[in-house]
């Protein structure tokens, strides 16, 4: 078994977006996968970057525009992953 298969299984287990999940009809994962983290280090790094960069951007943009920008960027990243998987 290769590392890609192991990582794909782990991501699928925690509710992330995988090709297998899409083929099984779990389309809700496209929207909810931005909230899934595959381990404590992934969560810590994501929160650290969001705190470091997000606090500056929120002051510049304001809370509403920051939330919209965050969701747009995440949606774009999910679209990129989704288009690669097809």
């Amino acid at each position: 078994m290769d590392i890609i298969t192991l990582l794909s299984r782990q991501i699928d287990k925690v509710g992330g977006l995988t090709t297998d999940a899409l083929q099984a009809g779990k389309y809700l994962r496209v929207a909810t996968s931005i909230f899934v983290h595959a381990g404590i280090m992934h969560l810590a790094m994501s929160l650290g970057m969001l705190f470091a960069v997000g606090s500056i951007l929120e002051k510049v943009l304001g809370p509403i525009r920051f939330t919209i920008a965050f969701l747009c960027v995440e949606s774009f990243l999910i679209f990129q992953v989704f288009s690669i998987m097809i």
Side-chain angles (χ1 to χ4, degrees):
M1 189 175 303
D2 61 354
I3 189 72
I4 301 298
T5 304
L6 290 173
L7 289 174
S8 181
R9 285 185 182 172
Q10 176 66 22
I11 291 170
D12 189 50
K13 188 189 313 182
V14 297
L17 183 62
T18 62
T19 306
D20 295 337
L22 288 175
Q23 290 173 347
K26 299 178 182 177
Y27 301 114
L28 186 60
R29 287 191 183 195
V30 173
T32 60
S33 64
I34 64 173
F35 304 107
V36 174
H37 294 84
I40 192 72
M41 278 305 292
H42 185 214
L43 177 62
M45 295 300 287
S46 294
L47 288 175
M49 286 303 296
L50 183 60
F51 180 74
V53 176
S55 61
I56 296 167
L57 281 176
E58 187 178 15
K59 288 176 187 173
V60 171
L61 298 175
I64 294 173
R65 283 192 274 173
F66 173 75
T67 303
I68 292 169
F70 175 77
L71 292 174
C72 287
V73 167
E74 292 295 332
S75 299
F76 176 74
L77 292 175
I78 288 172
F79 175 74
Q80 293 298 320
V81 170
F82 186 67
S83 66
I84 290 169
M85 288 182 173
I86 292 179

